[in-house]
Each structure stands twice: as structure tokens, then as C-alpha cells.
């Protein structure tokens, strides 16, 4: 069974329908990149996958758990889905290490000692071993985002959601963050990435999904999609993005 | 974590002991209310003890008749209200027996007969009522003087200004804001003898009888004992001795103060005990109320940012009600109105009532800024915490609250200072805290300027200390 199943997903804010009926399946170990113009509903779609947004209609099933089912414990489902935000959302009152260990310790996943060991290992993976005791405000944007990734990984999720993880970064910081994400993909993590980094999508994604006007317009393998776009919307979009 | 738990347990224990003390005391002892400043019938002597004709008569009668009682000095208006609300068993406060009052109260036999006089500033040219036309007359609420002046107001065309205690009324006349005041003769004459710069310019009007009052239909036994005792002390000469002692002597020989002790320092050292206990009461009220209001405010704040509509609605309503109500109205409502509503002789000790009042009022203000503080924390923080699988309350406690509280610290410090100052309003329900202490001391020595200066300095000193303490805490947290 597919790891993520989305059926006929609708989301409205008042009269404004942002998602107009999306269907998507993501398999285990698959990396899906979602591209599309601003306001196309990519982020809203991503946020529906861990219930940060509640769909108006449709079904989201994560690892067999139906999110719209009242009996589903959303907290347990969320433990299994890590999320990385555009603006990092690190906890400013906690040190880097505390940011990473908070959830595992609070949720009794690991003892404090175990969680700290895990945290240090993760910090090594993202190349920030020396920042364990630093406070978030002393870090650069790229460093913050790598800590945020480590924080999400500390819960040992099997799915990772990335919501424009590099959009708020200075250009020279983008590479470090993408490198970490590539490593993660190489290890077989199931990932759904909303991004404007076409290079990353081309290189890493198993599948690229193009969204516009609240609908999936086109999807396929990166080479097919980027080199042979079918829909005029995608052709138009790629022209603009690549010419920049 | 541990420390605040200990603090709450101690607080609850303290509250519990108050309630037990309260109920034990009510078992056999009558609570008799009196006025705070109505010399020579009642006033506070040096060291904080109450003295005066009423007090001595009550004491002498109690000895004769074996009455156990606890004296409660509050303003006259509050005493009357509390009697009708069953908060006290009797009132002895130079209270005139009037047909109006007889509808609500049962009176003892008259223990003193007095008339109303008009007094004006020493250098005033006013000698007759007709000269009051267009001028302002100062009156004390609920007194025979006030009733009399009101009855002749239309005839002589003066304006009326009400005060809650005698000294403020005298001062208003002395400084010329009001042209005259109306007061019971013995009270006025005693005051003048003790240095009030006023003079009596009229004869005695509306001679009236003073009686000891109980609520109508209640405490008949107490009333009977009072009458029997009054008869007895009149017969054995004690009564005459008491009246003579107050009406034919000057205050200093009674209160134990000498002229040389009227310097600022002299007054301070002399009243150290009284001021100290008032200060202690203020601090006690402040500290307990701050703790309770903070707990309530945090609860209201958390409720106010809860998902869904019910929590925020409850929070907003509570904040709306208790922030919108003047503290004094709230105090009266809880202390007098609420027991009245419940009936069955339900009583609530003034201290507890005061504490609840402050908790509700300051708690509502605290709730408002706590809610604002939580809302000021970026939404992304809650989303990040929840996306990790943390339940709402854990996210609240571990992520939102620590950040929100940091934002709120300046507001907390501000609120603590306001709470400290607001304790002074509780003097209206008879709590003898620092401000009331000042009123009481001035009631016997008429040193308004020096005593209020003293009280003001003490408030500033505590507020300075409180600010330092808060700043220190703030530095520690950041």
C-alpha cells in the first residue's frame, strides 16, 4: 500500500477554494517534488498531510491511518511525519540541543541521555556538531534550517515534508540545506518537497508534480516533465523559471 | 516546578486555617461594628486600640452582662450596611434612633442624647443658615447632621458635598472648599478642643437619641442584655464617669500623645506599631492577591487562546465582567451583597472578601495581557511543536508559555504595583491596611499632612523594593 494516499482533496477558506480536488499517491522511499506558481496551493496541500490544515472535503491516508477518521490519534501520526518549514520555526527560548530533544523526551520516545546522543549524531549529519549549545538567534538561516531538519528527524519519522525549505535563505546558504536533503533522500527517506529549486527537483526527485490553480496539472519523472512539458501552463511556468 | 507547587500548598493551607479560625470565632462571640472616626464616641488611641464613649460603654455593659464580643471598626456607612446584611451582630457608632432606621433595625434604649450643630472655619463670617446661600456644605454620609442639613437645603439654597469620614469633612471646611459642616455636638466640640480649626456657630438642632442597633428581629437576647447592662452602669455611676472622662478632657490625655511628639519623626516613632501592622496587612494582601491573580490570569489567558470557541468566550466574558467593574463596587458586592444574596447568616471575613476582590479584578487584567502575550507568540511555533507530535497542552506548556511569559514580564511587574496600590481601596470594607491606618491615626491627632506624607513615602518605598525585585527576576529569566 502506498505510504501517502490523497483522494479528492478540497480546501476552502470561506468562499475561496484553494484546493479543488487533488489525487496523489506516494510510495515508500519515493521523493516527490511539488512545483508551481505562488498561490497554486502547494503549501496548503502539504499542510493537509499532517492536519495543520483540515481539509474541507476528501481523504488523506498516511501509512494506513485515515486523518479524517475521528478515531485516528493525530499526534501519533504526526510523530511519523517530520515537517520542515520555510521560516524554520525553531524554538527561540531553547538551545539547539533542547530544540532537538524536546519532542522525543516529552513524548517518552527516548530518555534524556539517549535523546541527546541522537541529537548530537543528527547534528553531525547536518554538519553542525559545534552548535549543540548555541541559541537559535546566534545561527545563520542555513544553520537554522539544518537544525530544523535535525529536529524533525529526531522523532525517527518515516515521511518528511518540506515546505519551501530554502525560500527564506540567502543564496549562499541554499547549497548546505539541499545537500542535507539529498543525503536524506539517498538514505531512502520518503519525502514530499514543495520547492522552487528546479535543479534539486531534477536531480533528486523520483517524481515531480506541477500544481496550478488548486489542481495537479501534470506529473511525471523529472526528465520527462522538465524536457517535454505537455500542458501550456507548465510550459509557461518553466519558461519563466528557467529564464530567471 | 517543585517550588511553585510548594507555594500553592502553603497558600491553600493558610487559606484553610483562616476559614477555621473564622468559623471558630463566630461560634460564641458577637461581632459589634463601630465607626472608625467619631471621637469622642470612638477613635483609635495610640497603639491602635479603640477608645471612646461607645467603646467604654459597650465594654462596661459586656462585663456586667457577660457578653463576648469582637469589635470591628469600619466606616459608619459600611457598618450600617453590614448590619442589614447580617455581616455583624450589632452596631454601636453614635447612631441616631430614627423612625426610618427602626424599619430595618431594633434599637436599645437611648444611651446618649445629642443635637446637630453647624461649624465653620475659624475665620469665617458665617453665623446663620441664611448666609449659606449658593455655598457648599460638607456632610458625612449617614449621620444625623447630614439628614438635618438635607432637610433645610431647599430653604437656604446651599449645595451639598458628602464625605465618608469626619476628618475629611472638617478639612474641607478648614481649607475653604466648603463653607460649613453639620455634625453632632459632642463630636464637633471634642474635635475643636483637640485642635480642629473650626468653630461652632449654631445652637443644637434636632436633638436625637443614640442607640445600640441590631438587625430587626435578630439578636433579641443581645439587645436585652445591652439594655439591662445600660441600666446597671447608669445606676452604679460608671456611665457618668465614662461620659465625663471624654467630654470634659482633651484628647492628648486620653491618647497618651504629647505636644512634643507632633514632629514628623515623633509621629512616626509613636505610630510605628499601628503603621507597622497596617503595612503588614497591605503586604499580606498584596502578596496573596498577586499569587492568586497570577494563577487566575494565567488560566484565563490559556483559556483565551484555546482552540474552539467555548474557551475564548468564557475567558472574554470573565475578563469583561471583572475588568469592567470598579474595584470598590466589586469589594462591596462580595463582602455585603453576596452574603445578602445567600442569606442564612452566611458571613465572609473581610480579609477573605478583600482577597477574592483583588484576585478577580487583578486576575482579569492579568488574563487580558496573558492572552495577548500568548497571541504575540508566532503561530509557526505552535505548528512546529504540533508537527513533531506534541499534544496541544505540552506544546502550550513547553513552547508557547515560556515565550509568552517572557513577553509579559513588564506587564506583570506593572500589575504587581497596581495590585499593591489597589489594596488601599479595601479599606472601604473595613480592612485596616496601610491607608486605613493613616485615616485612623489622623482621626485622633488631625495631623493630615504629616501622616499622609508618611504613608505616601512608605508606599513609594515598597513599590521601589517591588520594582527592584521584579527587575532582578526579569534579569534572571532572560
Amino acid at each position: 500500500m502506498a505510504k501517502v494516499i490523497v483522494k479528492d482533496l478540497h480546501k476552502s477558506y470561506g468562499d475561496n477554494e484553494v484546493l479543488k480536488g487533488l489525487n496523489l499517491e506516494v510510495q515508500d522511499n519515493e521523493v516527490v517534488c511539488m512545483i508551481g506558481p505562488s498561490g497554486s496551493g502547494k503549501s496548503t496541500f502539504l499542510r493537509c498531510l499532517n492536519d495543520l490544515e483540515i481539509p474541507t472535503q476528501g481523504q488523506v491516508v498516511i501509512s494506513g491511518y485515515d486523518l479524517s477518521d475521528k478515531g485516528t490519534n493525530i499526534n501519533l501520526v504526526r510523530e511519523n511525519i517530520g515537517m520542515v518549514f520555510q521560516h524554520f520555526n525553531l524554538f527561540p527560548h531553547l538551545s539547539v540541543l533542547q530544540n532537538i530533544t524536546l519532542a522525543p523526551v516529552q513524548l517518552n520516545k527516548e530518555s534524556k541521555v539517549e535523546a541527546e546522543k541522537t541529537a548530537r549524531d543528527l547534528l553531525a549529519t547536518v554538519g553542525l556538531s559545534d552548535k549543540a549549545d548555541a541559541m537559535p538567534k546566534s545561527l545563520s538561516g542555513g544553520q537554522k534550517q539544518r537544525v530544523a531538519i535535525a529536529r524533525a528527524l529526531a522523532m525517527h519519522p518515516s515521511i518528511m515534508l518540506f515546505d519551501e525549505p530554502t525560500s527564506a535563505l540567502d543564496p549562499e546558504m541554499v547549497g548546505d540545506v539541499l545537500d542535507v536533503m539529498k543525503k536524506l533522500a539517498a538514505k531512502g527517506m520518503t519525502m514530499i518537497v514543495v520547492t522552487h529549486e528546479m535543479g534539486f527537483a531534477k536531480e533528486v526527485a523520483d517524481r515531480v508534480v506541477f500544481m496550478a490553480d488548486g489542481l495537479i496539472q501534470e506529473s511525471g519523472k523529472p526528465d520527462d516533465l522538465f524536457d517535454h512539458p505537455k500542458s501550456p501552463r507548465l510550459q509557461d511556468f518553466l519558461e519563466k523559471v528557467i529564464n530567471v | 516546578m517543585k517550588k511553585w507547587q510548594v507555594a500553592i500548598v502553603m497558600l491553600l493551607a493558610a487559606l484553610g486555617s483562616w476559614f477555621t479560625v473564622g468559623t471558630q470565632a463566630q461560634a460564641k462571640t458577637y461581632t459589634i461594628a463601630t465607626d472608625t472616626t467619631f471621637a469622642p464616641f470612638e477613635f483609635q488611641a495610640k497603639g491602635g486600640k479603640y477608645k471612646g464613649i461607645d467603646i467604654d460603654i459597650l465594654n462596661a455593659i459586656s462585663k456586667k452582662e457577660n457578653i463576648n464580643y469582637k469589635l470591628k471598626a469600619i466606616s459608619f456607612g459600611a457598618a450600617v450596611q453590614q448590619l442589614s446584611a447580617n455581616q455583624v451582630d450589632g452596631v454601636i457608632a453614635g447612631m441616631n434612633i430614627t423612625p426610618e432606621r427602626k424599619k430595618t433595625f431594633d434599637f436599645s434604649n437611648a444611651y446618649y442624647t445629642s443635637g446637630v450643630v453647624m461649624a465653620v472655619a475659624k475665620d469665617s463670617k458665617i453665623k446663620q443658615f441664611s448666609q449659606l446661600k449658593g455655598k457648599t456644605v460638607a456632610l458625612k454620609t449617614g449621620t444625623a447632621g447630614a439628614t438635618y442639613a438635607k432637610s433645610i437645603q431647599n430653604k437656604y439654597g446651599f449645595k451639598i458635598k458628602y464625605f465618608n469620614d469626619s476628618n475629611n469633612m472638617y478639612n474641607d471646611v478648614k481649607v475653604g472648599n466648603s463653607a460649613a459642616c453639620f455634625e453632632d455636638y459632642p463630636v464637633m466640640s471634642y474635635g475643636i478642643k483637640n485642635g480642629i480649626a473650626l468653630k461652632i456657630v449654631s445652637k443644637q438642632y434636632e436633638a436625637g437619641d443614640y442607640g445600640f442597633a441590631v438587625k430587626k428581629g435578630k439578636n433579641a437576647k443581645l439587645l436585652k442584655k445591652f439594655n439591662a447592662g445600660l441600666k446597671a452602669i447608669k445606676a452604679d455611676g460608671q456611665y457618668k464617669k465614662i461620659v465625663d472622662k471624654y467630654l470634659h478632657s482633651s484628647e492628648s490625655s486620653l491618647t497618651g500623645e504629647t505636644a512634643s511628639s507632633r514632629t514628623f519623626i515623633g509621629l512616626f516613632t509613636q505610630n510605628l506599631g499601628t503603621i507597622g501592622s497596617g503595612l503588614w496587612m497591605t503586604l499580606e494582601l498584596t502578596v496573596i492577591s498577586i499569587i492568586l491573580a497570577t494563577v487566575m490570569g494565567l488560566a484565563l489567558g490559556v483559556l483565551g487562546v484555546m482552540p474552539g470557541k467555548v474557551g475564548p468566550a468564557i475567558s472574554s466574558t470573565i475578563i469583561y465582567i471583572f475588568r469592567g467593574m470598579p474595584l470598590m463596587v466589586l469589594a462591596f458586592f462580595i463582602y455585603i451583597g453576596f452574603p445578602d444574596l445567600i442569606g442564612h447568616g452566611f458571613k465572609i471575613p473581610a480579609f477573605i472578601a478583600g482577597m477574592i476582590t483583588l484576585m478577580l479584578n487583578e486576575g482579569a487584567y492579568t488574563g487580558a495581557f496573558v492572552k495577548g502575550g500568548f497571541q504575540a507568540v508566532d503561530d509557526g511555533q505552535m505548528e512546529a511543536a504540533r508537527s513533531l507530535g506534541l499534544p496541544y497542552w505540552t506544546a502550550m506548556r513547553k513552547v508557547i508559555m515560556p515565550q509568552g511569559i517572557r513577553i509579559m514580564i513588564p506587564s506583570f511587574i506593572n500589575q504587581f504595583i497596581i495590585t499593591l496600590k489597589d489594596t488601599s481601596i479595601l479599606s472601604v470594607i473595613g480592612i485596616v491596611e496601610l491607608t486605613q491606618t493613616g485615616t485612623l491615626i489622623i482621626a485622633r491627632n488631625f495631623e493630615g499632612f504629616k501622616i499622609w506624607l508618611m504613608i505616601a513615602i512608605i508606599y513609594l518605598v515598597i513599590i521601589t523594593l517591588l520594582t527592584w525585585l521584579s527587575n532582578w527576576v526579569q534579569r534572571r529569566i532572560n
Side-chain angles (χ1 to χ4, degrees):
Chain A
M1 194 164 119
K3 200 136 206 186
V4 177
I5 303 168
V6 178
K7 278 185 191 157
D8 190 33
L9 186 68
H10 289 259
K11 174 70 185 177
S12 304
Y13 299 100
D15 292 335
N16 181 23
E17 191 169 40
V18 184
L19 301 180
K20 299 174 181 168
L22 278 81
N23 294 288
L24 185 73
E25 289 196 3
V26 179
Q27 304 302 323
D28 207 6
N29 302 339
E30 197 181 5
V31 176
V32 173
C33 281
M34 312 215 37
I35 60 169
S38 299
S40 57
K42 303 182 301 285
S43 289
T44 308
F45 170 75
L46 201 67
R47 290 160 61 85
C48 283
L49 299 185
N50 67 350
D51 225 28
L52 284 183
E53 300 289 347
I54 301 185
T56 340
Q57 192 191 317
Q59 203 183 16
V60 175
V61 183
I62 306 285
S63 305
Y65 294 99
D66 185 345
L67 297 193
S68 58
D69 186 342
K70 292 265 184 259
T72 301
N73 182 345
I74 186 62
N75 291 328
L76 287 178
V77 177
R78 279 172 176 162
E79 285 178 16
N80 193 35
I81 318 176
M83 184 157 190
V84 175
F85 299 85
Q86 182 179 358
H87 295 287
F88 334 124
N89 298 351
L90 291 183
F91 307 135
H93 60 299
L94 301 178
S95 72
V96 165
L97 201 68
Q98 288 167 329
N99 260 278
I100 300 172
T101 57
L102 178 72
V105 172
Q106 285 299 320
L107 294 169
N108 294 319
K109 293 285 155 193
E110 285 176 7
S111 72
K112 198 165 174 250
V113 178
E114 286 165 353
E116 284 184 1
K117 190 181 172 306
T118 311
R120 285 182 200 280
D121 290 347
L122 287 167
L123 281 174
T125 318
V126 300
L128 291 171
S129 291
D130 54 333
K131 296 292 184 188
D133 298 317
M135 293 307 279
K137 69 176 171 199
S138 70
L139 302 180
S140 73
Q143 291 170 330
K144 280 182 190 164
Q145 196 60 300
R146 284 184 278 155
V147 172
I149 294 171
R151 180 176 69 178
L153 291 174
M155 288 300 294
H156 307 293
S158 68
I159 305 170
M160 284 286 284
L161 308 178
F162 292 85
D163 187 4
E164 305 195 23
T166 55
S167 301
L169 299 180
D170 291 335
E172 75 268 24
M173 307 280 181
V174 172
D176 291 341
V177 173
L178 292 182
D179 284 345
V180 169
M181 289 167 65
K182 281 177 202 167
K183 267 199 246 174
L184 206 55
K187 277 186 195 164
M189 175 67 76
T190 309
M191 290 164 65
I192 303 176
V193 185
V194 170
T195 186
H196 292 294
E197 297 293 334
M198 297 305 148
F200 175 82
K202 225 171 189 171
E203 183 185 340
V204 183
D206 298 309
R207 186 153 45 119
V208 177
V209 173
F210 172 65
M211 264 185 84
D213 302 327
L215 284 169
I216 294 177
Q217 307 281 350
E218 204 172 329
S219 76
K221 291 205 178 307
D223 291 344
D224 294 344
L225 203 89
F226 285 116
D227 298 340
H228 312 289
K230 292 186 193 97
S231 66
R233 291 298 306 263
L234 180 55
Q235 290 164 4
D236 185 44
F237 174 74
L238 288 176
E239 202 166 299
K240 278 182 190 153
V241 175
I242 287 161
N243 285 351
V244 165
Chain B
M1 261 309 252
K2 293 264 167 59
K3 273 184 195 157
W4 68 261
Q5 283 169 336
V6 171
I8 287 180
V9 170
M10 280 170 59
L11 189 74
L12 290 176
L15 284 177
S17 67
W18 264 312
F19 275 114
T20 24
V21 168
T23 41
Q24 277 166 2
Q26 284 159 18
K28 280 178 188 169
T29 311
Y30 292 109
T31 307
I32 312 274
T34 185
D35 195 355
T36 46
T37 65
F38 199 59
F41 290 93
E42 45 265 339
F43 57 96
Q44 213 185 27
K46 189 184 167 190
K49 233 174 116 57
Y50 277 91
K51 275 190 157 188
I53 297 176
D54 284 348
I55 311 295
D56 286 9
I57 286 179
L58 180 63
N59 190 28
I61 291 175
S62 300
K63 277 193 185 134
K64 288 262 184 223
E65 297 290 323
N66 281 324
I67 303 170
N68 275 328
Y69 71 95
K70 203 176 79 197
L71 197 68
K72 188 169 169 184
I74 43 182
S75 79
F76 182 76
V80 172
Q81 281 188 58
Q82 288 192 21
L83 184 59
S84 55
N86 254 324
Q87 288 284 293
V88 296
D89 299 302
V91 168
I92 184 160
M95 190 171 172
N96 270 286
I97 305 173
T98 63
E100 188 68 26
R101 283 180 181 151
K102 274 185 163 173
K103 288 179 196 159
T104 353
F105 306 121
D106 287 332
F107 281 96
S108 70
N109 297 331
Y111 65 85
Y112 190 84
T113 302
S114 156
V116 172
V117 291
M118 175 170 82
V120 297
K122 247 181 190 162
D123 52 1
S124 169
K125 292 195 176 70
I126 293 172
K127 283 189 179 124
Q128 284 162 348
F129 293 162
S130 57
Q131 288 169 283
L132 293 174
K133 194 169 175 61
K135 297 199 166 72
T136 302
V137 165
L139 301 175
K140 183 179 166 187
T141 47
T143 59
T147 313
Y148 178 68
K150 195 92 180 75
S151 73
I152 59 168
Q153 182 187 16
N154 283 341
K155 189 171 166 196
Y156 294 103
F158 51 80
K159 284 173 267 180
I160 286 176
K161 191 164 159 190
Y162 286 103
F163 291 88
N164 267 326
D165 68 77
S166 305
N167 288 290
N168 290 338
M169 173 174 80
Y170 299 154
N171 268 322
D172 207 56
V173 177
K174 194 175 103 183
V175 300
N177 290 336
S178 297
C181 63
F182 285 77
E183 179 68 288
D184 288 18
Y185 170 75
V187 177
M188 197 65 249
S189 108
Y190 176 87
I192 289 170
K193 217 182 296 175
N194 282 286
I196 296 174
L198 301 182
K199 60 182 178 188
I200 296 172
V201 291
S202 79
K203 63 182 177 75
Q204 294 191 40
Y205 290 91
E206 296 271 301
D209 290 329
Y210 287 179
F212 168 73
V214 296
K215 184 166 178 169
K216 201 163 185 67
K218 296 233 169 183
N219 286 317
K221 202 171 136 197
L222 176 64
L223 203 60
K224 209 171 137 195
K225 278 186 173 181
F226 187 94
N227 282 332
L230 180 62
K231 202 170 162 193
I233 61 167
K234 273 186 173 167
D236 70 5
Q238 261 197 75
Y239 174 85
K240 188 177 179 326
K241 240 168 96 182
I242 291 168
V243 173
D244 284 353
K245 177 175 149 196
Y246 288 100
L247 289 188
H248 303 290
S249 68
S250 73
E251 182 225 16
S252 57
S253 60
L254 289 169
T255 58
E257 281 168 351
T258 56
S260 66
S261 64
R262 291 300 178 94
T263 60
F264 188 79
I265 299 297
L267 283 169
F268 182 69
T269 47
Q270 228 173 41
N271 294 300
L272 202 59
T274 318
I275 292 176
S277 60
L279 174 61
W280 180 244
M281 176 58 86
T282 290
L283 292 178
E284 222 175 335
L285 269 172
T286 307
V287 170
I288 296 174
S289 304
I290 283 177
I291 294 170
L292 291 177
T294 302
V295 171
M296 175 173 155
L298 284 173
L300 283 176
V302 169
L303 207 60
V305 294
M306 249 174 84
K309 285 184 181 152
V310 182
I314 295 174
S315 167
S316 303
T317 311
I318 294 175
I319 290 173
Y320 170 77
I321 293 174
F322 293 112
R323 194 170 59 166
M325 213 187 291
L327 193 56
M328 206 188 275
V329 174
L330 188 59
F332 278 132
F333 179 77
I334 289 170
Y335 190 46
I336 295 167
F338 189 59
D340 221 10
L341 182 76
I342 291 189
H344 308 296
F346 176 78
K347 289 179 195 179
I348 182 164
F351 186 86
I352 303 283
M355 228 168 50
I356 296 174
T357 306
L358 281 178
M359 178 188 83
L360 292 175
N361 182 276
E362 316 293 341
Y365 277 99
T366 307
F369 71 69
V370 168
K371 189 171 140 186
F374 288 154
Q375 281 167 344
V377 177
D378 186 55
D379 289 342
Q381 292 292 311
M382 181 53 104
E383 289 183 351
R386 296 304 307 277
S387 74
L388 289 166
L390 292 174
Y392 178 81
W393 290 110
T394 313
M396 200 67 201
R397 207 160 41 82
K398 288 288 167 184
V399 176
I400 307 301
M401 286 179 117
Q403 295 182 58
I405 285 168
R406 245 163 259 223
I407 300 171
M408 294 163 206
I409 288 175
S411 308
F412 267 117
I413 295 174
N414 203 22
Q415 199 58 37
F416 292 167
I417 290 170
I418 292 171
T419 307
L420 171 63
K421 291 193 289 185
D422 279 354
T423 55
S424 67
I425 296 175
L426 297 178
S427 59
V428 296
I429 57 168
I431 295 179
V432 186
E433 42 59 69
L434 191 53
T435 302
Q436 182 70 351
T437 307
T439 311
L440 297 179
I441 296 171
I442 296 164
R444 72 163 180 275
N445 65 19
F446 306 105
E447 293 282 358
F449 173 73
K450 286 175 200 162
I451 298 293
W452 285 131
L453 182 66
M454 214 175 277
I455 301 287
I457 291 173
I458 295 172
Y459 273 114
L460 281 178
V461 168
I462 323 169
I463 282 166
T464 309
L465 293 176
L466 188 65
T467 312
W468 281 349
L469 180 72
S470 308
N471 289 342
W472 179 77
V473 171
Q474 187 172 11
R475 272 201 306 275
R476 283 287 305 271
I477 287 177
N478 290 338

